[in-house]
Amino acid sequence: MKISILTVGDEILIGQVVDTNSAWMGQQLNLAGARVVTVISVGDTMEAIHTGIREALEQGDVVLMTGGLGPTKDDITKKALSEYMGVDMVFHQHTFERITKMFEVWGRPMNEAHRLQCFMPANAEILTNKMGTAPGMWMEYAGKVIVSMPGVPYEMQYLMENEVLPKLKKCFPGQPIAHRTVLTVGEGESHIAEKLEDFEEELPEGFKLAYLPQIGQVRLRITGTGMDEAALHQILDEKAAILKARFADIIYGYGTETLEGAVGKMLKERGLMLATAESCTGGYMAHRITSVAGSSDYFVGSVIAYANEVKMQILGVKAETLDTHGAVSEQTVIEMAEGAVKVLPADVAIAISGIAGPGGGSDTKPVGLAWIAVSNGQMTKTFSIRAGKDRDKNIQYFTVHALNQLRQFLKQL
């Protein structure tokens, strides 16, 4: 099953809205055994939509469209579809009744625009959208399928999960496809790939390994297709076990797990409470940690010690330490981490101080330098890191590196 994705909306073309719909659909379709062959974005004009439909149909068996189904005048997708397919627009009474009931529940009046929203291409099979007013539409044209859905992400996702994917699987049965994703941190893509040349060469037909780098991390995704499903999963499990054995030190999880989630799990298993003392990251590390549901079970809080006065008055960093070694130094982060364990209080604390940039660096302490310390009051480990000159990327890289060093520290406890 070859899929073309077509998004409609000027807001995507001008960068006002990021097209997350195509990425989400691509992931779900891949898991369903379908192959996305093209992603096309067009503006809110008849000509642009017609061109997009034609190109999408040329490349795919199925066209999945999002956007342009609302009640406003610039929502012209349905009219464009009816003109392209040469069918009339007809009033869909059931959709009108459903929208009427929704507005009654909301206690708001309907207007003429919502009534006009109920006109659909005559050949459309209506897909009920319980998340909003605009229904989805399943249309067969020229031996192919066109599906039109709202551009609102949660509405599109509801329709895909409850209407579109089940119908696609029924109409276009495909070969099973499955993945195993191994999550690594602290080593670059090229170094990992060099160590996996033999692994890739030995993969059976229908299997492949993909490297998916992020800042400070690399996801290794093994994909298999084209055989009995049970045998498929067995081989994937065997290959994932090989990766686990080779990269035990840098693997922090599998599938959709996050680094902060993996660290949180380790803290919870050990019954430890964590604190952070942050300078250059400005609370970003605490944000990552608390983005995990249930993090209150193991996280007590953070001191964002951006100014030296805060480092001294709250964390107990000595004035002579700052005067002699500076805020970005091994000695300072040691005192920050050990101070955080005492004052918050916590069982383990991680401290970071660095130069995120783009200014503030020197010959001896350039932009991209950071020092990290992890302490439990009895044992303290320190690490330095060098990154680049981009401030946002540096903050993210510092945080990933710090979380990884915390992970390594916890493995010793």
Side-chain angles (χ1 to χ4, degrees):
M1 176 172 38
K2 295 186 294 184
I3 305 286
S4 295
I5 295 176
L6 175 60
T7 62
V8 178
D10 291 337
E11 65 276 9
I12 294 173
L13 298 180
I14 64 174
Q16 188 177 34
V17 172
V18 176
D19 177 21
T20 58
N21 283 350
S22 295
W24 186 90
M25 283 193 285
Q27 293 169 358
Q28 303 306 310
L29 291 162
N30 181 263
L31 292 173
R35 182 163 63 98
V36 176
V37 293
T38 188
V39 177
I40 302 169
S41 294
V42 298
D44 294 303
T45 67
M46 284 289 181
E47 182 181 3
I49 296 173
H50 286 171
T51 300
I53 295 171
R54 182 175 64 254
E55 293 178 0
L57 285 170
E58 287 173 354
Q59 299 185 60
D61 306 308
V62 177
V63 178
L64 299 182
M65 299 178 62
T66 62
L69 298 181
T72 56
K73 290 183 179 180
D74 65 332
D75 291 315
I76 59 173
T77 295
K78 287 182 293 186
K79 186 175 181 182
L81 279 164
S82 66
E83 287 187 5
Y84 187 90
M85 295 183 294
V87 299
D88 293 331
M89 294 279 284
V90 297
F91 187 77
H92 194 259
Q93 183 64 29
H94 178 73
T95 296
F96 179 72
E97 292 171 359
R98 182 179 64 83
I99 294 176
T100 301
K101 289 180 181 178
M102 291 175 71
F103 275 87
E104 289 175 355
V105 171
W106 295 337
R108 290 159 45 193
M110 283 182 63
N111 57 34
E112 178 64 10
H114 291 105
R115 190 188 72 82
L116 294 175
Q117 194 179 15
C118 299
F119 282 88
M120 316 286 177
N123 63 335
E125 177 185 346
I126 303 304
L127 308 176
T128 301
N129 172 19
K130 293 184 179 180
M131 297 292 109
T133 58
M137 299 178 292
W138 177 287
M139 296 154 284
E140 296 184 6
Y141 174 76
K144 298 189 177 184
V145 171
I146 302 174
V147 180
S148 181
M149 296 171 285
V152 180
Y154 65 84
E155 295 187 30
M156 176 278 296
Q157 291 172 14
Y158 174 85
L159 283 167
M160 283 289 294
E161 291 172 342
N162 294 277
E163 298 279 357
V164 180
L165 285 173
K167 285 178 69 67
L168 288 176
K169 290 176 182 178
K170 184 177 180 180
C171 297
F172 299 90
Q175 294 178 324
I177 185 170
H179 307 277
R180 293 292 183 275
T181 302
V182 178
L183 308 170
T184 73
V185 60
E187 191 161 343
E189 177 185 6
S190 60
H191 289 95
I192 295 174
E194 187 177 7
K195 297 174 183 177
L196 286 176
E197 288 183 4
D198 63 320
F199 178 87
E200 292 191 69
E201 291 172 358
E202 293 168 4
L203 286 174
E205 185 178 352
F207 287 77
K208 63 180 180 179
L209 175 66
Y211 299 85
L212 306 169
Q214 298 171 285
I215 293 177
Q217 301 172 236
V218 180
R219 289 181 294 153
L220 303 174
R221 188 187 65 209
I222 316 167
T223 301
T225 188
M227 59 168 57
D228 173 77
E229 192 164 0
L232 180 66
H233 285 283
Q234 180 180 347
I235 293 175
L236 286 170
D237 288 339
E238 292 171 355
K239 297 302 179 183
I242 293 173
L243 294 181
K244 181 179 180 180
R246 288 197 187 185
F247 299 107
D249 193 50
I250 64 171
I251 290 175
Y252 69 84
Y254 303 88
T256 59
E257 192 171 4
T258 63
L259 179 57
E260 51 269 30
V263 169
K265 183 178 179 181
M266 294 175 73
L267 288 162
K268 194 170 182 178
E269 288 172 348
R270 289 161 174 77
L272 300 174
M273 299 302 291
L274 171 69
T276 66
E278 304 183 52
S279 184
C280 60
T281 48
Y284 183 67
M285 185 158 43
H287 161 71
R288 289 279 296 263
I289 292 165
T290 57
S291 68
V292 179
S295 55
S296 58
D297 291 339
Y298 50 80
F299 185 69
V300 297
S302 178
V303 175
I304 303 173
Y306 217 65
N308 285 346
E309 290 78 10
V310 178
K311 293 180 179 71
M312 292 186 291
Q313 293 175 18
I314 296 181
L315 296 174
V317 177
K318 299 181 183 68
E320 55 264 35
T321 301
L322 293 166
D323 291 340
T324 304
H325 303 285
V328 181
S329 65
E330 182 178 24
Q331 293 81 2
T332 294
V333 292
I334 289 173
E335 294 182 18
M336 288 173 65
E338 293 177 352
V341 169
K342 295 175 184 176
V343 301
L344 283 171
D347 301 302
V348 182
I350 183 164
I352 184 167
S353 183
I355 306 166
S362 66
D363 291 339
T364 55
K365 294 182 179 181
V367 170
L369 171 67
W371 275 97
I372 298 163
V374 186
S375 179
N376 63 354
Q378 291 79 43
M379 176 175 63
T380 301
K381 298 282 188 179
T382 60
F383 318 88
S384 65
I385 183 174
R386 291 288 184 93
K389 296 185 180 297
D390 184 284
R391 181 179 181 82
D392 290 339
K393 289 180 180 177
N394 286 347
I395 290 172
Q396 294 177 58
Y397 190 70
F398 293 162
T399 299
V400 168
H401 190 76
L403 289 171
N404 186 44
Q405 296 303 337
L406 173 59
R407 182 182 72 90
Q408 299 286 8
F409 185 89
L410 293 172
K411 288 168 66 175
Q412 303 174 53
L413 302 181

PDB file of all heavy atoms in Angstrom, residues 90 138 233 269 365:
ATOM      1  N   VAL A  90     -23.449  17.631  -2.003  1.00  0.00           N
ATOM      2  CA  VAL A  90     -24.777  17.304  -1.482  1.00  0.00           C
ATOM      3  C   VAL A  90     -24.814  17.559   0.020  1.00  0.00           C
ATOM      4  O   VAL A  90     -23.786  17.462   0.704  1.00  0.00           O
ATOM      5  CB  VAL A  90     -25.161  15.841  -1.788  1.00  0.00           C
ATOM      6  CG1 VAL A  90     -25.237  15.606  -3.286  1.00  0.00           C
ATOM      7  CG2 VAL A  90     -24.176  14.867  -1.140  1.00  0.00           C
ATOM      8  N   TRP A 138     -14.262   9.535   3.069  1.00  0.00           N
ATOM      9  CA  TRP A 138     -13.582   8.453   2.342  1.00  0.00           C
ATOM     10  C   TRP A 138     -14.181   8.418   0.944  1.00  0.00           C
ATOM     11  O   TRP A 138     -15.377   8.214   0.783  1.00  0.00           O
ATOM     12  CB  TRP A 138     -13.808   7.129   3.074  1.00  0.00           C
ATOM     13  CG  TRP A 138     -13.232   5.914   2.401  1.00  0.00           C
ATOM     14  CD1 TRP A 138     -13.707   5.304   1.274  1.00  0.00           C
ATOM     15  CD2 TRP A 138     -12.101   5.147   2.825  1.00  0.00           C
ATOM     16  NE1 TRP A 138     -12.950   4.207   0.971  1.00  0.00           N
ATOM     17  CE2 TRP A 138     -11.940   4.086   1.910  1.00  0.00           C
ATOM     18  CE3 TRP A 138     -11.211   5.252   3.887  1.00  0.00           C
ATOM     19  CZ2 TRP A 138     -10.938   3.132   2.033  1.00  0.00           C
ATOM     20  CZ3 TRP A 138     -10.209   4.305   4.005  1.00  0.00           C
ATOM     21  CH2 TRP A 138     -10.074   3.265   3.089  1.00  0.00           C
ATOM     22  N   HIS A 233       9.039 -11.254  14.830  1.00  0.00           N
ATOM     23  CA  HIS A 233       9.317 -10.763  16.178  1.00  0.00           C
ATOM     24  C   HIS A 233      10.466 -11.523  16.836  1.00  0.00           C
ATOM     25  O   HIS A 233      11.244 -10.940  17.605  1.00  0.00           O
ATOM     26  CB  HIS A 233       8.053 -10.832  17.031  1.00  0.00           C
ATOM     27  CG  HIS A 233       7.050  -9.769  16.709  1.00  0.00           C
ATOM     28  ND1 HIS A 233       7.181  -8.468  17.133  1.00  0.00           N
ATOM     29  CD2 HIS A 233       5.914  -9.807  15.965  1.00  0.00           C
ATOM     30  CE1 HIS A 233       6.161  -7.744  16.692  1.00  0.00           C
ATOM     31  NE2 HIS A 233       5.377  -8.537  15.984  1.00  0.00           N
ATOM     32  N   GLU A 269      13.459   3.056  41.920  1.00  0.00           N
ATOM     33  CA  GLU A 269      13.838   1.699  42.316  1.00  0.00           C
ATOM     34  C   GLU A 269      14.773   1.707  43.522  1.00  0.00           C
ATOM     35  O   GLU A 269      14.738   0.795  44.358  1.00  0.00           O
ATOM     36  CB  GLU A 269      14.513   0.985  41.149  1.00  0.00           C
ATOM     37  CG  GLU A 269      13.573   0.609  40.027  1.00  0.00           C
ATOM     38  CD  GLU A 269      14.295   0.076  38.806  1.00  0.00           C
ATOM     39  OE1 GLU A 269      15.540   0.196  38.729  1.00  0.00           O
ATOM     40  OE2 GLU A 269      13.612  -0.456  37.905  1.00  0.00           O
ATOM     41  N   LYS A 365      38.296  29.400  28.869  1.00  0.00           N
ATOM     42  CA  LYS A 365      36.945  28.866  29.093  1.00  0.00           C
ATOM     43  C   LYS A 365      36.043  29.298  27.939  1.00  0.00           C
ATOM     44  O   LYS A 365      35.318  30.287  28.020  1.00  0.00           O
ATOM     45  CB  LYS A 365      36.391  29.355  30.433  1.00  0.00           C
ATOM     46  CG  LYS A 365      37.163  28.818  31.637  1.00  0.00           C
ATOM     47  CD  LYS A 365      36.556  29.284  32.943  1.00  0.00           C
ATOM     48  CE  LYS A 365      37.340  28.720  34.130  1.00  0.00           C
ATOM     49  NZ  LYS A 365      36.759  29.132  35.429  1.00  0.00           N
TER      50      LYS A 365
END
